[in-house]
Amino acid sequence: MGEEPQRRLAAIVSTDVVGYSRLIGIDEAGTLAALRNIRAELIDPLIERHGGRIVKTMGDGLLLEFPSVVNAATCSIAVQQGMAQQDMDLRIGINLGDIVIEADDIHGDGVNVAARLQEACEAGGLALSGVAHESLGNLVDATFEDAGPQEFKNIERPIRMWHWMPDMAPSPIRRHLGQKLAQADKPTIAVLPFDNMSGDPEHAYFADGIAEDITTELSRFGALFVVSRHSAFKYRGDGLDLAQVGRVRWSHLVGQFGGVVKVYS
């Protein structure tokens, strides 16, 4: 009989570059050089300073392990603040969970959840699991907003998700419902996923990258309320009901306060 796999509880961080495939298509050499410089000058030094370990690189992404969620969140916030001066945007997912150690690599449900959170994250921000957020307590001077339970691919249970963005002041006032609903006067835009008309499944990454980039650029305008990529991309596929998409905004707001939107016809 083989030995039981080694396990431990760890803070896992998953990152990737928003619209990386499109950037590579436009300027491969320049994109690769820029990413190398960002890692050497910003990301890797911050990981080391906060006690993190680079488990592996995956093209434009990194899988990291930290000794605590406080270290992971503090490092990730510093990275995103530094990325504000760059021409690339990152998405970062953070989870606290059980991992399986195999040589220098890690696997398991804890890693999978971190990856799904990263995919659902807003460009330039962080997405934390509920258990990761709970472990932070008041140890990190930052404001996180509750996005409610989320359903993720290949994850059997709903995962509560918390968001952080660079423009979130460290004040609990931001969590007040009145301030959220005060945005109701702003025009709302949802960038839906583009169809891949080429017939080549590999080109779907380019279509998604264009939609992500448009969402990111629109979100820079304070006069607009831009529905998150994660919420808008739920409506991928045929038979799109635009009236249902129009409710995404309210679903997003209600979900931040632990509510559930039910639609009756």
Side-chain angles (χ1 to χ4, degrees):
M1 295 180 62
E3 294 183 359
E4 287 292 325
Q6 183 183 356
R7 296 177 178 271
R8 67 167 173 261
L9 189 67
I12 309 112
V13 175
S14 178
T15 79
D16 81 338
V17 176
V18 178
Y20 181 73
S21 296
R22 187 186 66 84
L23 294 174
I24 286 290
I26 294 172
D27 181 6
E28 181 178 275
T31 298
L32 293 174
L35 186 55
R36 282 196 299 269
N37 290 337
I38 290 171
R39 281 200 53 186
E41 298 175 7
L42 174 68
I43 298 176
D44 289 17
L46 283 172
I47 293 171
E48 182 178 2
R49 186 181 309 165
H50 291 88
R53 176 175 78 91
I54 299 175
V55 178
K56 60 184 173 183
T57 60
M58 301 161 288
D60 63 319
L62 294 173
L63 179 63
L64 313 174
E65 178 188 358
F66 285 83
S68 75
V69 176
V70 172
N71 291 55
T74 303
C75 176
S76 298
I77 289 172
V79 166
Q80 291 292 40
Q81 289 172 336
M83 288 297 296
Q85 310 302 319
Q86 307 296 330
D87 293 329
M88 291 181 180
D89 289 307
L90 294 182
R91 290 184 297 231
I92 300 179
I94 303 175
N95 184 38
L96 176 66
D98 186 67
I99 60 172
V100 178
I101 298 94
E102 184 177 304
D104 292 330
D105 203 355
I106 60 175
H107 307 278
D109 183 69
V111 176
N112 296 337
V113 170
R116 294 292 180 260
L117 289 165
Q118 167 247 298
E119 293 169 0
C121 184
E122 300 288 338
L126 312 180
L128 283 74
S129 65
V131 65
H133 177 264
E134 184 176 354
S135 71
L136 284 179
N138 296 319
L139 299 177
V140 175
D141 186 21
T143 296
F144 299 89
E145 293 187 342
D146 188 356
Q150 304 290 324
E151 299 283 349
F152 293 129
K153 180 180 179 181
N154 296 330
I155 304 295
E156 294 182 354
R157 66 197 184 283
I159 301 296
R160 196 169 197 90
M161 184 167 67
W162 291 77
H163 280 301
W164 172 91
M165 291 295 289
D167 60 349
M168 289 183 179
S171 168
I173 297 176
R174 286 187 55 90
R175 297 194 180 111
H176 193 274
L177 179 60
Q179 182 170 352
K180 277 297 176 185
L181 296 181
Q183 297 179 356
D185 293 333
K186 295 182 179 181
T188 300
I189 294 179
V191 182
L192 301 178
F194 292 99
D195 288 334
N196 176 16
M197 306 299 291
S198 69
D200 184 349
E202 294 295 328
H203 290 173
Y205 292 101
F206 291 97
D208 286 352
I210 293 172
E212 291 175 5
D213 287 349
I214 294 174
T215 300
T216 300
E217 294 305 316
L218 288 173
S219 66
R220 301 183 192 279
F221 293 91
L224 300 175
F225 183 95
V226 182
V227 174
S228 73
R229 165 192 175 278
H230 178 61
S231 296
F233 273 39
K234 290 180 179 179
Y235 297 92
R236 183 191 303 277
D238 297 330
L240 190 66
D241 182 351
L242 293 181
Q244 184 181 14
V245 176
R247 301 185 185 101
V248 170
R249 178 180 183 183
W250 292 103
S251 299
H252 173 76
L253 292 175
V254 174
Q256 291 189 10
F257 296 92
V260 176
V261 173
K262 292 187 178 180
V263 179
Y264 298 93
S265 58

